[in-house]
Amino acid sequence: MNILLVGAGLSGAVIGRTLAEAGHHCRVIDSRSHPGGNCHTERDADTGVMMHVYGPHIFHTDDAGVWDYVTRFADFVPFQNRVKTTSGGAVHSLPINLLTINQFFGRTLRPDEARAFLETKADTSIADPQNFEEQALRFVGRDLYEAFFKGYTEKQWGCSPTELPASILKRLPVRFNYDDNYFFHRFQGMPRDGYTAMVRAILDHPGITTDLDTPYDPAMAGECDHVFWSGPLDGFFGYGLGRLGYRTLDFERFDHDGDYQGCAVMNYGDREVPYTRITEHKHFSPWETHEKSVCYREYSRAAGPDDIPYYPIRLVREKALLEDYVRLARNTPGVTFVGRLGTYRYLDMDVTIREALDTAAAFLDGAAQGRRPGAFVHAPL
Ligand code: UDP
């Protein structure tokens, strides 16, 4: 079959590779001049630092199949993300761990004491947290919530944490030991030569043609047997029902001689500081040595029509509109909607790859049984 994959990010590359290995002809197009989607990395010409151009990406997974897959295409260097946060004139360790609790409250608690102590701070009247704020108040209490989560989340999402789902906070654990590894997955690392080199390697197959600087044109669908769409779900339909909400990010670059902040990611919990965090990119490649440093101040705001969409918002309005688009997508035979933008979900890289592998396998199964695959979208919410 002739397959068109719109978007040369992780979804398009992994699906394209799987189908090409099974003997199909795949054309991967991307309107950008590089593959890799938002995990694109590029060496800075001035400093030689490997930049995470669209913000930091740290690979972590518990899925051994996904880890085997990525390590087939890139050499991974072990990397653990150790995030700090500046709040109220002090620096603390994230995710909230025993050091954070002891330093924040000026205590010397052991693990079981800290657990009991935090229970006294927690709002135990909240049995079933309905939103981000309730989740935080229930599990860490008001002091830690206001220092580390409230202001940051207002800046990141542009709304009150009471309007956000509890699931967003569930991404962050609370630890009653001194483990300050931001992620708790078995496999964690950084591709030695960056994510773009890895995606290029995935795309490097005789059955795949990659055309960059090539926007999608609806006429292209007529020239192939099936389309995998990893662009914005609403974009496929020309935004006909309205636009799904996204947050976009502005990165304000600044250079520094030496080491600016001593870590890769410094969050800023105070509402008055306009940015959410500063990332210092040479610390994402600690096996390299660079005298000079490049940092990004990261600002979050509502995405306009010409902005790069980063985080799907998924508040009530978006949920209703999303359901309408999902209905349209289900009635669009010959197109499969994949990835963060195609399914309008907050996806980590490993989940994106797992879903791409599964989607491609399901497609091949269907094709082997002579079924013409119809539209497919993941359960939206
Ligand atoms: N968050 C916060 N304070 C922090 C870090 C995260 O309040 O210092 C909240 C914020 O709402 C964020 C969510 O926790 O959207 C998930 O954080 P994560 O680090 O997973 O965000 P991402 O990696 O997507 O930037």
Side-chain angles (χ1 to χ4, degrees), residues 94 132 148-149 152-153 156-157 168 171-172 182 267 277 311 346:
L94 282 185
F132 184 109
F148 300 141
F149 299 134
Y152 186 99
T153 297
Q156 169 77 10
W157 294 97
I168 293 183
R171 289 172 60 86
L172 301 185
Y182 203 66
N267 290 354
R277 59 185 178 183
Y311 296 94
Y346 191 171

Side-chain angles (χ1 to χ4, degrees), residues 7 25 43 49 51 72 92 132 136 151 163 185 195-196 201 204 243 300 314 322-323 326 331-332 346 351 353 355:
H25 296 285
R43 245 180 227 293
V49 170
M51 299 296 297
R72 227 179 102 194
H92 288 283
F132 184 109
E163 295 172 63
H185 284 150
Y195 291 100
T196 301
D204 183 13
R243 282 183 180 265
S300 170
R314 286 180 170 263
L322 176 59
E323 279 166 19
V326 168
N331 290 319
T332 307
Y346 191 171
V351 180
I353 292 173
E355 290 191 358

Side-chain angles (χ1 to χ4, degrees), residues 165-186:
S167 59
I168 293 183
L169 187 63
K170 286 183 194 153
R171 289 172 60 86
L172 301 185
V174 177
R175 301 224 181 87
F176 294 101
N177 57 34
Y178 289 98
D179 181 4
D180 61 349
N181 182 352
Y182 203 66
F183 305 112
F184 44 91
H185 284 150
R186 239 179 336 148

Side-chain angles (χ1 to χ4, degrees), residues 336-365:
T336 300
F337 295 83
V338 294
R340 176 179 58 95
L341 300 175
T343 65
Y344 195 63
R345 283 172 310 151
Y346 191 171
L347 290 184
D348 286 335
M349 288 183 285
D350 62 326
V351 180
T352 308
I353 292 173
R354 165 50 58 205
E355 290 191 358
L357 289 168
D358 291 349
T359 301
F363 181 88
L364 290 174
D365 273 357

